[in-house]
Structures are given as C-alpha cells and as structure tokens.
Amino acid sequence: MDGGVAAAPEGPATVEPAPEATASPRDLRDLVAQLRRIVGDEWVYTHAHQLRTYESDGLLQYTSIPAAAVLPDSAEEVAGVVAACHRAGVPFVARGAGSGLSGGALPISEGVLIVATRLNRILEVDLDNHRICVEPGVTNASVSAAVGPGFFYPPDPSSQIVCSIGGNVAENSGGAHCFKYGFTTNYVTGLELVLSDGELVQLGGKAPDPAGYDLLGAFVGSEGTLGVATKVWLRIVPAPETTKTLVAFFDSTREAGQAVSDIVGAGIVPGAIEMMDEKAIEAAEAMAKAGWVGADGLTRKAALLVELDGAEHECETRFREVVGVCEACGSDDVRVARDDAERERFWKARKAAFPAMGRISPNYFVQDGVIPRTKLPDVLDRIDALAEEYGLIVANVFHAGDGNLHPLVCYDGTVDGEADRAEELSGKILDACLEAGGSITGEHGVGVDKKKHMPKMFAEADLDCFQRLRCAFDPEGLANPGKVMPTPRLCGEVPGPYRQHPLEAAGLAERF
Ligand SMILES: Cc1cc2nc3c(=O)[nH]c(=O)nc-3n(C[C@H](O)[C@H](O)[C@H](O)COP(=O)(O)OP(=O)(O)OC[C@H]3O[C@@H](n4cnc5c(N)ncnc54)[C@H](O)[C@@H]3O)c2cc1C
C-alpha cells in the first residue's frame, strides 16, 4: 500500500506479536508442512522478519503477527490452503494490498494469512458485454487501465493505485465518483469463492443470477468473514463524452456544505463532489502544489471540488448552474480546469489529502462516518466544537455528495494519553453521525476498529440475524474471526448434552 498513513507508535490497542509458528503455544508444524506442499516452499512465510510486513493494514494502531503467511498462485491453491486450515481448526484471514483503514486484514496470531498478491491476472476483457473478469489481487486502477479509453470502472477509492479488487469487494469500497455511479456492490456481477471448508463455489458470473436470495450482495461488504474471493466479474461503463471540473473556495465549511445541498437540490448529479477544509487544503497543497491559496497567499477555509461528466451540451449547461450555486453560497473564487493537465492537478490535490496529513501531524486516525447530506453544516460545526474541546486538530476531507465524512483526527503518539484522547474523540464523532441519522461507516468497513460501535447502530436481534447469515457460510467461524461483530459468537448446535465451549467459559464468546 502507499506509505501515506502516518505511523502510530503508541496506539490504543496493540495485539502482542507471536515470534514464529513453531514457537507459538499451538503446534502448527503439520499445517505449515501441508501449506508448503500446496503452494510451494518459497510462498509460505513463517519467520518474524518475513511476517512483520503483514502485521497491520492501513490502520497502524493495531498489530498482530500470524503463524504463517501464504501467497497462493491459483484458486485451487487457495482452496487447498483453506481446506487444510479447516481440517486443523485454524482461522485464516484474506489480505489484498493491506490498505484497509479498519483493521480488516489484521492477522490472527496462531492463524494463517492468505495474501492475494500473486493472484493478479486479468482473465477476460469483454467490451461488447461491458464486462471484465479479474483475479482478486488485481489493483483497482488496473481495471480502468485495461478497458480504457472507451470504458472505465467507476468505483475509485483514493487508494486505487494500490488497493486490490478483492479488498474492494470485501469492503464494498467507494470513492469520489460513487455519488453518481454507485459503489462496488453495483458493479460486481459474479464471484468465485472459497468457502471456509475449502469448497470452491461460484455466485453469478458475467450475468448476475437474479433467481433466489442475493448471496452475491451478501458477500460484497462482508469483510472477509464469509470466505475468500478468487475470481471477480465486474461491470464496466462507457467513458463519458466530456468531463468538466472546478474547484470553488469558501470562507467556511458551512457555506461549502450549503453549496453541496443546493447543487444536489437543484437536480444536478455531479460525477463527483468532494470537500476539504482548511487543514486538509493546507496539507494537500504542501504535497501537490496545485496553487490552492487565496490572492493573499493564505489557505481558504473550505474547497469544493465538483466534476460533471456526460453529454457535452448537458454538461456545459449544468456546469454554469454549479458555478452559479457556488457563487450564491458565498464563493468568490471558482477555478475551472482548463485542460486535462489542470484537472489532474486538482485531483492530485484531493487525493493527496490523506497521505499529506503526515506533514502536519505525526499520527492520525482516519474516521469514516455517514450523515444525511443536509446535515453537513451542523455536523461539521459539531466536529469543530469537539476538536476544540479535546484540544486536537481534526482535518476534514470527504465525499460530500454522499454525506460520507472522513475526519482525520491528528495526535502525537509520543505524548502521554494523546492517542487515547484521539480515539475517544473519534468515537464522539461517530456518535454525532448516528445522532444525525447516519452510520458508523460509509466505505472503510467495521473491521476491528468499529466493532465496539456496532451495538449503537444495531439491536441484539439485528446482530443475531447477521450471525445467522455468517453461520450459513462459515459454521466454524474460521474466516476472519474477531472482525465486524462486537462479541465473538459461536455457531452451530452441539449434538448431545450441552457442553460449555472453553471460549464461552472464559467469557470471550457467547453461544448463538
Ligand atoms: C490513502 C488511502 C485512501 C483511501 N481511500 C479510500 C476511498 O476513497 N474509498 C474507500 O472505500 N476506501 C479507501 N481506502 C481504504 C482501502 O484502500 C479500501 O478499503 C480497499 O478496498 C482495501 O483494499 P485492499 O486490497 O488493501 O484490502 P485489505 O486491506 O488487504 O483487506 C481489506 C478487507 O478485505 C478482505 N479481503 C481482502 N482480499 C479478500 C479476498 N480476496 N476475499 C475476501 N476477503 C478479502 C480482508 O480480509 C479485509 O477484511 C483508502 C485507504 C488509504 C490508505
């Protein structure tokens, strides 16, 4: 993954690493020997120095070293690895590029990490049917590159040059263009999967299978807890005739938030509508050098990046309307990209915002909450008030059209207690999103990071319902356990007289 996420030497929750498979309390030597036979000796890592590469994803505050990491080269090898784990009763975690921001690919110590790096082939490009079939390790950006210039793949996470399609499917990833075009789930028409007992199955394909329950929809966004994707069929769309992009600067995020509501309220559907506040602009400008400063050389309080795409005539007309709305909401500086090079500079500034944050703060949490769009001004004010109360900087850069906030809570991990304060503040921001009628995550997933917040959003009965679905795919709970659900729950009925499971006795799991 890209190295933009600031390191967190003193995170609030760190899982102790286990040095190596042979030294862990459970003897996994038999399993490791089987894994070596399946994928080849050189593609099984068990030494601490090899495993450290995989100790976390983009959420660096959590670390854990797995017993082994395997890099299979085919779906059959993935199936063999998962079947071996199943026979041994050992949990496994799938990993794409490790750019996730919620700890979804955090390894399980005494578990196996299945890394998709070598599963990086584009299997079929079928422009006539608007389809592409890829292995899960293919990067998001490679999909558009493979079908361009006539077509493109719309879901475009800012991490798109590194993140994998397998990870996008597992997280139901979004991006700047999802407001108009929809999320990953709107583009997956088929999946080949390895279930937790090693069985290879297919859901949908080039044409999604509309009969029966939508199992494809259930898998997308399941964060690796229902199995491992080994092949993905995606819908692609024709490239728009024209694209027009502007950036408008405002004296407050409230004004910019109002412009978002008014643009959408006017019936305009921009391809993308992204907002950055003063701190985010300042950090991005330091890295991207897009000239995003006012005439006085100072950073403006808010920037709105708006892109319209589609038929030339309609775009021109709608674009003028957008400029009008921005000016009516208080913008005195609207800059229209004059050519592709300038458009790319605008986007570079927007996409630099996360990685650039490392320039103004040694550590930060990336939050990911959703609110109804009309609540943007109020919730942004609330975030400012919370930042002041906690004495911490919070920068905001987000997909404004979707109401998908990404507050970046800055802190210094070397200052005693600051990481904990930052984590508490992050939780309060999520509470504010829920109070506004929103959600605890828009696109980064629940992972380990937000599972404690799940009961704020779902009743016990809802969580049980999720668990029933999970049990149908993975009765033993071997696929990415400890993620998404707030308390580990045990699947399956035990035949014969009731015997308490050791995890249950230890108070670590509850019987479902
Ligand atoms: C700078 C930066 C910007 C970002 N911007 C965005 C953004 O705009 N929008 C957005 O949505 N996200 C964004 N992200 C988050 C992240 O890039 C996405 O969540 C991405 O989809 C993760 O892909 P990955 O390959 O890195 O997956 P990983 O981090 O490796 O894994 C993520 C999850 O997917 C599961 N998984 C991986 N592969 C498979 C598989 N083959 N089968 C089943 N499960 C699997 C893992 O177990 C884990 O639960 C950003 C991250 C960074 C660092």
Side-chain angles (χ1 to χ4, degrees), residues 297-470:
L298 297 176
T299 308
R300 301 298 299 270
K301 295 282 184 220
L304 208 57
L305 182 67
V306 187
E307 185 160 284
L308 295 189
D309 61 8
E312 185 108 36
H313 270 319
E314 195 192 346
C315 241
E316 283 292 344
T317 314
R318 290 307 216 177
F319 204 67
R320 279 195 295 275
E321 286 174 44
V322 170
V323 172
V325 171
C326 289
E327 287 172 349
C329 287
S331 176
D332 56 359
D333 184 2
V334 180
R335 302 181 195 177
V336 178
R338 284 159 295 190
D339 50 29
D340 281 352
E342 192 163 22
R343 180 176 169 247
E344 262 169 45
R345 254 199 320 280
F346 285 4
W347 277 110
K348 195 172 159 205
R350 160 60 186 89
K351 296 201 175 184
F354 279 15
M357 206 47 65
R359 291 174 181 241
I360 64 168
S361 173
N363 310 95
Y364 62 91
F365 282 111
V366 180
Q367 257 313 348
D368 169 42
V370 185
I371 52 167
R373 200 172 34 240
T374 49
K375 298 278 174 70
L376 272 173
D378 292 344
V379 175
L380 289 173
D381 281 353
R382 173 85 185 117
I383 292 173
D384 279 350
L386 282 167
E388 204 174 315
E389 184 187 326
Y390 278 76
L392 294 172
I393 290 173
V394 179
N396 288 290
V397 48
F398 54 96
H399 309 310
D402 298 306
N404 184 187
L405 302 175
H406 290 319
L408 305 167
V409 181
C410 301
Y411 66 95
D412 182 347
T414 60
V415 175
D416 233 15
E418 201 158 299
D420 291 333
R421 279 215 329 283
E423 209 206 1
E424 194 178 308
L425 167 55
S426 298
K428 292 232 164 125
I429 291 174
L430 289 185
D431 291 346
C433 292
L434 287 174
E435 280 157 25
S439 160
I440 59 168
T441 172
E443 54 182 17
H444 296 168
V446 176
V448 282
D449 187 35
K450 294 199 181 151
K451 58 183 187 169
K452 60 179 175 294
H453 298 293
M454 287 287 272
K456 294 180 190 166
M457 202 170 155
F458 297 102
E460 266 302 291
D462 300 322
L463 296 172
D464 285 351
C465 184
F466 289 155
Q467 188 65 7
R468 270 196 208 103
L469 178 72
R470 203 242 162 114

Side-chain angles (χ1 to χ4, degrees), residues 27-37:
D27 189 349
L28 298 179
R29 275 175 297 193
D30 268 3
L31 174 62
V32 170
Q34 287 179 54
L35 300 179
R36 291 190 192 285
R37 282 196 292 277

Side-chain angles (χ1 to χ4, degrees), residues 285-304:
E285 178 59 22
M287 193 164 162
K289 311 248 178 293
W292 282 10
V293 284
D296 53 4
L298 297 176
T299 308
R300 301 298 299 270
K301 295 282 184 220
L304 208 57

Side-chain angles (χ1 to χ4, degrees), residues 145-400:
V147 300
F151 287 82
F152 78 114
Y153 175 63
D156 57 343
S158 301
S159 53
Q160 68 187 138
I161 55 168
V162 290
C163 68
S164 74
I165 288 295
N168 291 180
V169 168
E171 300 287 2
N172 186 20
S173 293
H177 289 84
C178 292
F179 173 61
K180 174 172 181 178
Y181 288 98
F183 285 68
T184 303
T185 191
N186 302 111
Y187 290 88
V188 178
T189 64
L191 286 171
E192 181 188 78
L193 310 175
V194 174
L195 298 177
S196 67
D197 60 356
E199 191 187 354
L200 201 59
V201 299
Q202 188 175 321
L203 303 174
K206 247 189 203 183
D209 183 356
Y213 296 115
D214 181 11
L215 299 179
L216 202 55
F219 192 90
V220 179
S222 60
E223 303 191 27
T225 62
L226 301 186
V228 184
T230 49
K231 201 182 274 182
V232 187
W233 283 266
L234 296 169
R235 188 164 68 83
I236 50 170
V237 300
E241 191 182 314
T242 192
T243 305
K244 287 189 76 69
T245 312
L246 64 76
V247 59
F249 296 95
F250 296 84
D251 282 335
S252 70
T253 52
R254 181 164 269 278
E255 285 177 1
Q258 193 55 51
V260 173
S261 284
D262 290 357
I263 290 168
V264 179
I268 303 168
V269 185
I273 182 161
E274 301 278 301
M275 202 202 288
M276 291 160 73
D277 73 2
E278 186 180 11
K279 282 282 163 232
I281 303 169
E282 187 187 321
E285 178 59 22
M287 193 164 162
K289 311 248 178 293
W292 282 10
V293 284
D296 53 4
L298 297 176
T299 308
R300 301 298 299 270
K301 295 282 184 220
L304 208 57
L305 182 67
V306 187
E307 185 160 284
L308 295 189
D309 61 8
E312 185 108 36
H313 270 319
E314 195 192 346
C315 241
E316 283 292 344
T317 314
R318 290 307 216 177
F319 204 67
R320 279 195 295 275
E321 286 174 44
V322 170
V323 172
V325 171
C326 289
E327 287 172 349
C329 287
S331 176
D332 56 359
D333 184 2
V334 180
R335 302 181 195 177
V336 178
R338 284 159 295 190
D339 50 29
D340 281 352
E342 192 163 22
R343 180 176 169 247
E344 262 169 45
R345 254 199 320 280
F346 285 4
W347 277 110
K348 195 172 159 205
R350 160 60 186 89
K351 296 201 175 184
F354 279 15
M357 206 47 65
R359 291 174 181 241
I360 64 168
S361 173
N363 310 95
Y364 62 91
F365 282 111
V366 180
Q367 257 313 348
D368 169 42
V370 185
I371 52 167
R373 200 172 34 240
T374 49
K375 298 278 174 70
L376 272 173
D378 292 344
V379 175
L380 289 173
D381 281 353
R382 173 85 185 117
I383 292 173
D384 279 350
L386 282 167
E388 204 174 315
E389 184 187 326
Y390 278 76
L392 294 172
I393 290 173
V394 179
N396 288 290
V397 48
F398 54 96
H399 309 310

